[in-house]
Amino acid sequence: MRGFSDASLFDDGPPPPDAATLLEGLTAPQRAAVTYRGGPLLVVAGAGSGKTRVLTRRIAHLLATGDAKPWEVMAITFTNKAADEMRRRVIDLVGADVRSMWVSTFHSACLRILRSHADVLGYDRGFTIYDAGDAQSAIERIEQELGLDVKRLTPRSVAAAISAAKNEMVGAARYRDRFGDDPFHRRVGQVYELYEERLRRANAMDFDDLLANALGVLRADEGLRAQYQERFRHILVDEFQDTNAVQNELVLTLAERHRNLCVVGDADQSIYRFRAADVRNILHFEQRFPDAEVIVLEQNFRSTQTILDAANAVIAKNPGRRAKRLFTEGEPGGPIRLYRGGDEYDEARWLAAELRRLRSTHDIPWGEMAVFYRTNAQSRVLEEEFLHAGLPYRVVAGLRFYDRREVKTAMAYARLVVNPRDEASARRVINEPRRGLGEAALGKLGAFAAANGLSFAESPWFAKEAGLTGRALTGATQFATLLDELRRHATERTARETIDAIVAESGLGAALRAEGEEGVTRLENLGELASAASNYEGLLDFVERVALVADSDQIDTGAGAVSLMTLHVAKGLEFAVVAITGLEEAVFPHRRALADSEELEEERRLCYVGLTRARRHLLLSHAWSRHQWGSRLDALPSRFLAEIPAPLVEDLSRTPPTRRSSFRDLEPEPEENLRWAPPAEGRVFGSGPAPVARSTGAETLGLVAGDRVVHDRYGAGTVRAVAGEGSRARATVAFDAHGEKQLVLALTPLRRA
């Protein structure tokens, strides 16, 4: 039987400090969590309740009391930054050599197991790890070999489907058996099987395999499983609400012998369902361990009571949660300031002025301020207005709006329309989307241009003279014709219409729509670009304006900067001042959540996370109208605003419009009506508007209980109940792989099985 490769396995190090010292400054519930011994422990840690302190003190206390040696402890979290911070704090507390302690992310711990024992599954221990790009390239090659259309069945969407299956512990064979009746999943299943074969042949694993294969090693080798179970007498897991099925099973397997499993988390902060996180892992922990001790941390050390009362009120609307109420012994704090803007520009201007006011009157540094939004596309107006107002800002964990790939590509077309000699733009878009112009063809065009005194941007008109043939010649000719049409179009139409034409006629829109859910997000950014262009008559004016906005040299970063980020990125952060913008129905909560009760609950949890990031000042805003999908639409205040008690809020707004004043007046529209799309290919240069779908048509299927149906995302399922008529028709469907969903049929891509 093979042992462990830990060189420092029996290195005790210097003695830890007195155990009593480690309990100083803890609240009673925190102290109980640190000192508990005797089996499974669930620590329900509300936002800002000091969970990291509890985890690190618990580890140090285990060592100080002699209940564990360093090598008998495994502590797992989700980011390298969090793991490093936890390790540093433990070292500061115990002053001992803890190199033999496993404090790491899930993926790092699994990689450590596999580097020693991958041969159990037939891998060489020197296996390579495929990143997302490697995986998508491999999948693309497989699709091409199978004769599949990579534009319709994009490698990105196939990779996402395979990743989801692996995170649910569904192998290729089981995937085929489960989803074989659905055309999309049947093709994914074909690719999945070949992809797994290629990984094996290449002695490679992707990131999902690190988790699944580590679990596979433990299940396949009883001796190794017993060794790891015996070694790790105490296992601690942070952010347990974010674990997926594989991670949950891995933890339960390792903790099976000693059952000293401590999980820390908060179901109210579970916001990563789109990454396969399963909130049921923490909600059902007590079912898996009926003897588990449960300790709830409700005292908040971050926010004012006003902010906490608002967050408590919002999250209380979610059913099926463990009741808790955050409180603080600190100051109650001032009221939450709410602004109802006329449009998104009015909203952004108010926000800039409000941040400047807080900077001036409260001496709050720019770096202690943050603005949250639901989707990346919303940053564009904020960036423009902050730049105009001279506010320093930085976009956190994401690109500036005009630096996003799809936006830069569309703007490269626009610059090339305005300036036919723009070589950089021509090189960026000549083969985007792909037109069969490889490196050899581009080399010939470049050589011809140089020999004849032309800019590279002018060379496609001389593709035949440059020596191009076959597909490359066709692609270059099509590109030249496209630019001719776009330039003619730009002299007759507005900037917005020209952006529409660029997205439609170039094929950018079609390529993004073929990418599935991820492409939708990128298409939203092009919709936001069209909205920006609608403020300008001529394309040249728009191009010049964008060039100024994108000039980051104008931003003073020396004195700090306001952080702009999505609400998902904000998890784990805190700021003195937090602003949450775009609090409108179909924006936040997102339009996709309006027809799905589970997704709506997650949107509410996301709002709760956003609210509880603020320490002293909380700003909320919405707009009565907003440019979305290239058109100006009336907007309704988010239901989350209505859930905050009125006495907590100082409403700074003008009198709202009388036509609609509440989300309760909203009749859900089909998602297609809300989603921006460029005019259909082939229609831009013609007359009349392109047709737009008004409904999925699912409300006309005449469904009754017992009918079998197929959903584009959730797969096959059985109708349990149907209610309502027309656009208000709803159905309860029990999906084979995703459980029960409440669906608005007119919004739902549903068909009979």
Side-chain angles (χ1 to χ4, degrees):
M1 185 182 297
R2 291 162 296 166
F4 301 104
S5 58
D6 230 327
S8 57
L9 189 59
F10 301 103
D11 181 6
D12 287 308
D18 180 75
T21 304
L22 297 170
L23 303 180
E24 295 177 356
L26 299 180
T27 65
Q30 288 177 331
R31 191 178 300 114
V34 168
T35 60
Y36 175 76
R37 305 291 189 270
L41 171 64
L42 168 61
V43 180
V44 180
S49 62
K51 68 179 179 63
T52 303
R53 168 182 273 202
V54 167
L55 276 168
T56 53
R57 293 289 181 99
R58 179 171 172 81
I59 294 171
H61 197 264
L62 286 168
L63 303 180
T65 58
D67 289 321
K69 300 296 184 183
W71 61 84
E72 295 175 330
V73 176
M74 171 184 274
I76 300 293
T77 187
F78 274 82
T79 68
N80 289 315
K81 180 181 179 181
D84 291 342
E85 172 68 10
M86 189 182 299
R87 187 182 299 106
R88 183 192 62 76
R89 288 202 194 187
V90 171
I91 291 173
D92 290 345
L93 287 170
V94 303
D97 185 353
V98 293
R99 286 175 297 177
S100 56
M101 184 186 302
W102 283 32
V103 182
S104 66
T105 65
F106 271 104
H107 286 87
S108 294
C110 290
L111 178 57
R112 193 168 178 177
I113 292 172
L114 290 167
R115 283 300 182 209
S116 296
H117 310 296
D119 56 322
V120 170
L121 301 180
Y123 287 88
D124 185 273
R125 296 184 192 180
F127 63 86
T128 56
I129 302 171
Y130 276 16
D131 63 18
D134 296 327
Q136 289 179 31
S137 295
I139 287 169
E140 182 174 7
R141 287 192 294 271
I142 292 169
E143 287 193 68
Q144 291 170 343
E145 292 171 12
L146 292 174
L148 301 176
D149 186 345
V150 296
K151 291 185 178 179
R152 298 186 62 184
L153 189 70
T154 65
R156 189 190 298 269
S157 64
V158 174
I162 292 174
S163 176
K166 289 186 176 184
N167 286 323
E168 294 178 8
M169 298 186 293
V170 177
R174 187 175 162 211
Y175 187 95
R176 183 190 61 243
D177 294 340
R178 177 186 288 190
F179 301 115
D181 293 337
D182 177 74
F184 170 77
H185 290 103
R186 185 167 60 249
R187 294 186 181 94
V188 171
Q190 286 180 283
V191 177
Y192 191 178
E193 286 187 293
L194 290 173
Y195 175 61
E196 289 295 276
E197 290 179 11
R198 300 294 169 83
L199 286 173
R200 284 277 187 174
R201 192 183 308 161
N203 190 38
M205 301 181 194
D206 60 26
F207 279 105
D208 297 314
D209 289 330
L210 294 180
L211 302 175
N213 287 344
L215 180 60
V217 164
L218 298 179
R219 287 178 168 178
D221 191 315
E222 183 178 351
L224 276 175
R225 183 169 69 252
Q227 284 190 46
Y228 278 103
Q229 288 174 341
E230 177 60 31
R231 173 179 178 171
F232 295 122
R233 292 178 175 270
H234 289 272
I235 299 175
L236 304 92
V237 185
D238 191 15
E239 304 285 10
F240 193 67
Q241 77 278 353
D242 293 334
T243 54
N244 61 30
V246 182
Q247 291 161 337
N248 186 52
E249 284 303 310
L250 188 67
V251 168
L252 297 179
T253 298
L254 289 170
E256 186 176 342
R257 175 163 299 190
H258 297 293
R259 301 182 77 253
N260 292 319
L261 173 61
C262 170
V263 301
V264 181
D266 181 9
D268 289 339
Q269 297 184 71
S270 178
I271 61 173
Y272 295 122
R273 186 182 177 202
F274 66 97
R275 295 180 185 169
D278 191 342
V279 70
R280 293 174 298 182
N281 292 341
I282 192 169
L283 292 176
H284 297 170
F285 185 81
E286 293 166 83
Q287 296 178 19
R288 298 294 295 264
F289 297 100
D291 60 332
E293 179 78 5
V294 180
I295 297 173
V296 182
L297 306 181
E298 296 177 294
Q299 183 173 347
N300 179 280
F301 299 92
R302 177 189 300 154
S303 307
T304 67
Q305 191 61 54
T306 297
I307 293 170
L308 297 179
D309 286 345
N312 287 331
V314 169
I315 200 62
K317 298 296 183 181
N318 268 1
R321 57 182 288 272
R322 176 185 292 276
K324 67 177 183 300
R325 187 168 187 83
L326 299 179
F327 71 93
T328 181
E329 294 183 351
E331 297 179 3
I336 297 165
R337 291 169 69 85
L338 168 65
Y339 185 74
R340 306 176 187 273
D343 59 18
E344 66 269 36
Y345 288 94
D346 183 24
E347 177 190 31
R349 283 192 292 270
W350 171 79
L351 184 57
E354 186 70 2
L355 295 180
R356 190 175 291 283
R357 181 188 69 82
L358 289 169
R359 163 86 168 175
S360 174
T361 60
H362 295 275
D363 197 28
I364 300 174
W366 295 123
E368 277 289 334
M369 302 181 183
V371 181
F372 303 158
Y373 35 81
R374 179 60 181 83
T375 63
N376 280 311
Q378 290 171 256
S379 77
R380 192 265 303 174
V381 172
L382 292 166
E383 290 183 56
E384 289 186 9
E385 292 302 325
F386 280 22
L387 186 62
H388 181 73
L391 263 67
Y393 72 88
R394 63 190 182 112
V395 179
V396 179
L399 296 171
R400 291 163 53 86
F401 179 83
Y402 290 108
D403 287 339
R404 290 164 188 152
R405 194 183 95 190
E406 61 278 7
V407 174
K408 287 179 71 71
T409 299
M411 287 307 302
Y413 273 107
R415 287 192 297 271
L416 200 52
V417 169
V418 171
N419 176 15
R421 295 179 60 83
D422 188 339
E423 179 169 347
S425 294
R427 287 190 176 276
R428 180 178 184 90
V429 300
I430 191 170
N431 203 37
E432 180 67 29
R434 294 182 180 179
R435 298 185 176 88
L437 292 161
E439 290 299 322
L442 296 180
K444 290 180 180 180
L445 289 176
F448 179 85
N452 290 275
L454 300 174
S455 163
F456 176 84
E458 299 168 291
S459 65
W461 280 263
F462 305 93
K464 189 172 183 179
E465 291 84 345
L468 270 60
T469 59
R471 187 182 176 197
L473 176 60
T474 301
T477 303
Q478 289 175 344
F479 180 66
T481 302
L482 169 66
L483 291 179
D484 285 339
E485 292 285 359
L486 289 173
R487 286 168 185 152
R488 183 163 55 251
H489 185 278
T491 63
E492 304 168 352
R493 304 291 178 88
T494 64
R496 156 67 198 281
E497 291 170 332
T498 304
I499 294 296
D500 280 349
I502 287 170
V503 176
E505 295 297 325
S506 69
L508 288 176
L512 292 177
R513 284 193 293 273
E515 289 186 2
E517 282 297 317
E518 196 154 339
V520 168
T521 299
R522 296 174 63 196
L523 194 60
E524 288 177 353
N525 288 334
L526 292 183
E528 186 66 11
L529 184 67
S531 295
S534 64
N535 295 315
Y536 300 85
E537 281 298 317
L539 186 64
L540 177 59
D541 292 337
F542 179 54
V543 168
E544 289 178 348
R545 169 63 173 169
V546 170
L548 292 175
V549 170
D551 186 2
S552 59
D553 292 337
Q554 299 182 50
I555 300 172
D556 176 19
T557 58
V562 179
S563 297
L564 308 183
M565 68 189 77
T566 66
L567 282 143
H568 282 98
V569 171
K571 178 92 164 16
L573 303 177
E574 60 179 74
F575 299 89
V577 179
V578 163
I580 303 178
T581 64
L583 278 158
E584 299 137 31
E585 291 292 294
V587 176
F588 187 34
H590 196 278
R591 68 185 185 282
R592 287 195 299 266
L594 301 181
D596 188 315
S597 59
E598 290 184 8
E599 290 202 10
L600 183 58
E601 288 178 26
E602 178 140 332
E603 291 288 296
R604 187 173 281 108
R605 294 195 292 267
L606 190 58
C607 182
Y608 174 80
V609 166
L611 296 172
T612 54
R613 300 308 94 192
R615 292 201 300 268
R616 307 294 302 167
H617 303 275
L618 180 60
L619 313 175
L620 306 177
S621 64
H622 76 85
W624 287 110
S625 72
R626 184 177 295 272
H627 247 115
Q628 296 181 75
W629 334 116
S631 302
R632 180 155 295 283
L633 302 175
D634 289 342
L636 299 179
S638 169
R639 66 192 70 198
F640 302 148
L641 289 175
E643 292 167 1
I644 297 175
L648 303 177
V649 179
E650 179 183 2
D651 194 327
L652 308 170
S653 317
R654 60 172 66 116
T655 302
T658 58
R659 190 166 69 86
R660 287 176 173 174
S661 60
S662 169
F663 79 89
R664 298 181 182 88
D665 300 326
L666 179 67
E667 179 178 345
E669 292 189 74
E671 183 174 340
E672 286 78 4
N673 292 0
L674 300 174
R675 178 177 296 172
W676 177 86
E681 277 69 12
R683 294 292 303 263
V684 173
F685 301 121
S687 59
V692 178
R694 302 291 297 179
S695 166
T696 64
E699 76 276 18
T700 66
L701 293 176
L703 297 175
V704 297
D707 284 351
R708 291 287 291 174
V709 292
V710 175
H711 188 284
D712 286 356
R713 177 177 176 186
Y714 301 131
T718 301
V719 177
R720 298 299 190 203
V722 180
E725 297 179 352
S727 63
R728 294 179 180 271
R730 293 175 177 268
T732 301
V733 180
F735 290 100
D736 299 347
H738 293 274
E740 196 168 278
K741 306 286 184 184
Q742 303 289 331
L743 305 172
V744 176
L745 292 177
L747 291 170
T748 306
L750 202 68
R751 60 187 184 279
R752 288 185 179 277

